[in-house]
Amino acid sequence: FWSPMVAQRVMCVSPWVKVIVILRNPLDRAWSHHQMSLRTGATQRTFEEAIYRDMKLTRNYSLTHDWNTVDFRRFHGSRA
């Protein structure tokens, strides 16, 4: 979650939602995802190339989105 307000907003919009958090070593997860991408043909990059590319994309991506403009109801169909 990027904001401490996320949990409160989810509760206001979708009080029936139950959140399950699974913690995993980020490096193990990245390696596993990369191996799957190689198997499915989604990438041909080496793991190192993929990591550097993702780091570059992350630096260029703005995480300062105005979450007040998001209509969270669209993520849960007609229940909202």
Side-chain angles (χ1 to χ4, degrees):
F1 297 106
W2 296 107
S3 167
M5 298 295 295
V6 170
Q8 182 180 6
R9 289 180 181 156
V10 169
M11 183 65 179
C12 287
V13 173
S14 305
W16 59 86
V17 170
K18 294 181 181 180
V19 178
I20 298 173
V21 177
I22 299 173
L23 302 177
R24 185 173 177 192
N25 179 323
L27 186 56
D28 290 343
R29 192 221 48 84
W31 175 256
S32 175
H33 183 82
H34 180 70
Q35 294 301 303
M36 180 189 67
S37 295
L38 287 172
R39 280 192 307 275
T40 62
T43 190
Q44 293 180 339
R45 292 182 177 90
T46 66
F47 184 65
E48 184 177 13
E49 290 168 341
I51 294 295
Y52 281 118
R53 179 180 175 272
D54 286 354
M55 288 171 58
K56 183 178 178 183
L57 290 172
T58 301
R59 274 194 299 271
N60 294 334
Y61 181 75
S62 172
L63 296 177
T64 58
H65 184 78
D66 181 7
W67 292 105
N68 293 318
T69 64
V70 176
D71 181 3
F72 289 100
R73 291 172 296 184
R74 71 188 173 106
F75 295 108
H76 202 288
S78 62
R79 288 195 69 186

